[in-house]
Amino acid sequence: MTRLTNICIYITILTVSLLSLTPLDAHAQSKKRIKIETTDSVPFFNGLSASVDLVGIVQKAVSDYGQYEAALRVNLRDRYFPIVEIGKGIALHDYDPVTGIKYETSALYGKIGLDFNVMRNKHDIYRLYIGGRYAYTSFDYDLVGPDIKDPVWGGEAHWGGSKSPCKYHWAEAVVGVDAKIYGPFHLGWSVRYKARVSHKDGEIGKPWYVPGYGISGTSQLGVTFNAIFEI
């Protein structure tokens, strides 16, 4: 009886082992199948978008400086967005209406960078970006004031200068959002922290306004509001 009992025990253990392995194997196959089914089918190159910044246009209309800026952005798998921004900055500023001193400049600028969509569902109609830009401009400015009269010897002396050349390099840290409104039309905004990397001031002093950067200084905050058309 003891030998028969041992044989029965061995058969029971073997049967239980085989039965316990079957669901594990089925579960593993199920996991493998789920992984295959959720593979991202979005192509690497997923389109282009063109945009125009509206803040700079409004700023130029209501103040003595502003810019006109457009951008072209590439969509890579709805996650990575290389971007090029090109604009023209314009300023005509009266330092003091009493003294009559004026600052004037108008020049192109360019930026290149990358945005990263941090949304968990990267295919959503809403996108939240973090990114960066490298920017550069080379421009001339005029600083003009009224002629100064010599109270002793008489006559007038000209004060100021024109076509004073400058260069500015800066970097931008960007946080932005855009949302699909209808069809290919999107709206978006961004906040930017601008930090000057290197610069060359003009011969007659520091420029008051830098195209694309804003009021000159070591750092600057900026905002954009974009009308976007996706292709």
Side-chain angles (χ1 to χ4, degrees), residues 113-133:
L114 177 71
D115 289 333
F116 177 73
N117 181 11
V118 299
M119 293 288 285
R120 184 180 182 87
N121 178 11
K122 63 181 181 178
H123 307 309
D124 203 335
I125 62 172
Y126 303 100
R127 294 172 184 154
L128 174 62
Y129 301 107
I130 58 172
R133 306 281 188 276

Side-chain angles (χ1 to χ4, degrees), residues 93-107:
H93 174 63
D94 293 333
Y95 273 91
D96 190 333
V98 176
T99 61
I101 298 173
K102 294 183 178 181
Y103 175 90
E104 185 173 0
T105 188
S106 176

Side-chain angles (χ1 to χ4, degrees), residues 151-162:
V152 178
W153 303 101
E156 295 182 343
H158 180 69
W159 184 90
S162 62

Side-chain angles (χ1 to χ4, degrees), residues 109-112 133-137 168-172 197 212:
Y109 62 89
K111 305 177 186 180
I112 186 169
R133 306 281 188 276
Y134 178 79
Y136 171 76
T137 185
Y168 249 66
H169 299 255
W170 71 95
E172 299 183 3
V197 176

Side-chain angles (χ1 to χ4, degrees), residues 68-87:
Y68 305 105
E69 182 177 293
L72 183 65
R73 186 171 64 186
V74 180
N75 182 342
L76 303 179
R77 292 193 184 277
D78 284 341
R79 184 67 79 188
Y80 304 98
F81 296 84
I83 188 168
V84 175
E85 298 170 334
I86 298 175

Side-chain angles (χ1 to χ4, degrees), residues 170-175 191-196 218-222:
W170 71 95
E172 299 183 3
V174 182
V175 177
V191 178
R192 305 180 178 213
Y193 176 75
K194 306 176 183 181
R196 189 177 65 193
T218 57
S219 64
Q220 184 76 235
L221 280 176

Side-chain angles (χ1 to χ4, degrees), residues 21-113:
L21 286 172
T22 301
L24 288 174
D25 185 58
H27 180 66
Q29 290 180 3
S30 176
K31 286 183 68 178
K32 186 176 181 181
R33 183 167 59 253
I34 290 171
K35 186 176 181 180
I36 293 172
E37 288 173 354
T38 56
T39 300
D40 193 349
S41 61
V42 172
F44 177 73
F45 175 75
N46 199 32
L48 297 169
S49 65
S51 64
V52 176
D53 172 39
L54 303 180
V55 170
I57 297 173
V58 173
Q59 187 177 42
K60 181 64 183 71
V62 301
S63 70
D64 47 10
Y65 70 94
Q67 61 274 338
Y68 305 105
E69 182 177 293
L72 183 65
R73 186 171 64 186
V74 180
N75 182 342
L76 303 179
R77 292 193 184 277
D78 284 341
R79 184 67 79 188
Y80 304 98
F81 296 84
I83 188 168
V84 175
E85 298 170 334
I86 298 175
K88 184 176 184 179
I90 303 170
L92 179 57
H93 174 63
D94 293 333
Y95 273 91
D96 190 333
V98 176
T99 61
I101 298 173
K102 294 183 178 181
Y103 175 90
E104 185 173 0
T105 188
S106 176
L108 298 175
Y109 62 89
K111 305 177 186 180
I112 186 169

